[in-house]
Amino acid sequence: MLRGCVSLARGLRPGLRAAPHGAWPGPRLAAAPQPFWGHTAGFSQLGRPKDFALPNPSWSQDMMSLYNKFAEMAKDGTWKRIPSYDRSVDHLPERVRQAFKEVRQDTRFFLRNTDAEGIGFEYVMFLNPTEKRIVCLFQPGPYLEGVSGFAHGGSIAAIIDSTVGGCAIFAAGKVMTANLSINYRNPIPLGSVVLVDSKVDRIEGRKVFLSCEVRNVDGQTLHAEATALFIQLDTKTSQQQEACSP
Ligand SMILES: CCCCCCCC(=O)SCCNC(=O)CCNC(=O)[C@H](O)C(C)(C)COP(=O)(O)OP(=O)(O)OC[C@H]1O[C@@H](n2cnc3c(N)ncnc32)[C@H](O)[C@@H]1OP(=O)(O)O
């Protein structure tokens, strides 16, 4: 089982073997982005509130095995665990966060909006900076039910959006999802563990194109595949940039 997940982690996921993740396939941005959330330093844990991307008693044996495998691969810096908080603003680098003078106190990051462990989104993401790739270990809890016993398609879309979003942020800084196209291939049983494996395919100007596969732990079952387009926000013209700026 773990051999399959390690293969995924090393860039051997089916269908993408012709373009090794180690090679950067697309052109770089004409002008280098000004990273907003882009540096891994932006995921710093210093002085931060509770980090939810750490093991808790609700994590299954599969989840723990995968976590330990990636934590081991993180020791040499190839992979980096991404901390996760229950408020969006807490994901920002300190220097950016401090610039937010008035931050609403009643908001919750969508994927962290349940307090009890194990009932909603249990996940942890690992970033491979060289490959511009994020693998998310995802264990959907019972409150994510769609068809009886299986994860709701919207919850799958949410975890895919956040995983590819993390990749886009790493590659291009401040971005928003413009398009997310998902093919659902096999249902995901509640309580099972899947790997959401995403990478940046190419960057054209402000457009960041990404792809993603969701597979079970041995890699044999393809649950979903997706492509995404994120747009790097333009400081001069974007309303979103205005809205997100202090
Ligand atoms: C760690 C946490 C991660 C969390 C990740 C979660 C991310 C999210 O869910 S974001 C929320 C969902 N997304 C939104 O609400 C975005 C709503 N849309 C918008 O705000 C805007 O349309 C936005 C920002 C995407 C683009 O607007 P704007 O900055 O004005 O760009 P615009 O000039 O229209 O388009 C730029 C380029 O992208 C292209 N483009 C824009 N949208 C699309 C689209 N949907 N499909 C294809 N191409 C598009 C345009 O054609 C244009 O191309 P070109 O430069 O070749 O002419």
Side-chain angles (χ1 to χ4, degrees):
M1 178 196 78
L2 279 178
R3 188 179 302 155
C5 77
V6 172
S7 295
L8 279 169
R10 289 181 179 160
L12 300 177
R13 68 176 174 167
L16 290 171
R17 288 173 183 149
H21 289 298
W24 181 240
R28 293 190 179 277
L29 284 172
Q34 295 299 311
F36 187 69
W37 299 315
H39 289 307
T40 50
F43 298 121
S44 163
Q45 294 183 75
L46 290 174
R48 292 298 174 88
K50 178 180 174 182
D51 180 356
F52 289 84
L54 290 168
N56 69 57
S58 79
W59 286 19
S60 67
Q61 197 175 343
D62 277 349
M63 187 77 167
M64 282 306 308
S65 296
L66 281 167
Y67 177 84
N68 289 333
K69 183 62 69 177
F70 274 88
E72 188 64 31
M73 292 191 292
K75 282 183 178 165
D76 68 359
T78 309
W79 292 84
K80 295 179 190 300
R81 188 186 67 86
I82 303 176
S84 176
Y85 308 103
D86 62 1
R87 299 179 68 226
S88 295
V89 70
D90 288 329
H91 295 83
L92 302 175
E94 181 67 24
R95 64 182 168 77
V96 180
R97 227 160 17 102
Q98 282 181 348
F100 280 71
K101 295 191 172 56
E102 291 181 17
V103 178
R104 284 182 64 165
Q105 298 298 316
D106 60 346
T107 60
R108 288 283 288 266
F109 184 60
F110 176 50
L111 299 186
R112 298 294 184 195
N113 65 7
T114 51
D115 287 321
E117 293 169 346
I119 64 171
F121 291 89
E122 287 294 339
Y123 67 93
V124 53
M125 295 183 190
F126 287 88
L127 166 73
N128 185 317
T130 307
E131 298 180 351
K132 309 288 188 291
R133 179 181 177 200
I134 287 180
V135 173
C136 172
L137 319 180
F138 173 44
Q139 178 184 297
Y143 278 24
L144 302 187
E145 188 175 57
V147 170
S148 182
F150 296 96
H152 192 288
S155 71
I156 298 167
I159 198 76
I160 291 175
D161 189 19
S162 289
T163 307
V164 293
C167 271
I169 288 167
F170 175 74
K174 195 172 179 183
V175 294
M176 285 192 92
T177 320
N179 180 269
L180 180 60
S181 175
I182 301 174
N183 288 314
Y184 295 95
R185 301 297 188 189
N186 283 287
I188 300 177
L190 295 173
S192 69
V193 177
V194 294
L195 292 97
V196 184
D197 188 357
S198 68
K199 68 178 183 64
V200 176
D201 289 329
R202 66 187 192 282
I203 299 176
E204 294 174 2
R206 295 170 54 213
K207 294 187 276 193
V208 186
F209 295 87
L210 304 107
S211 58
C212 178
E213 287 187 354
V214 182
R215 289 183 176 272
N216 70 336
V217 290
D218 68 11
Q220 296 304 303
T221 303
L222 176 64
H223 290 289
E225 53 193 343
T227 56
L229 169 65
F230 281 70
I231 305 295
Q232 188 180 37
L233 299 187
D234 185 310
T235 50
K236 291 190 176 131
T237 59
S238 165
Q239 292 181 337
Q240 285 68 35
Q241 177 79 31
E242 291 294 319
C244 293
S245 296

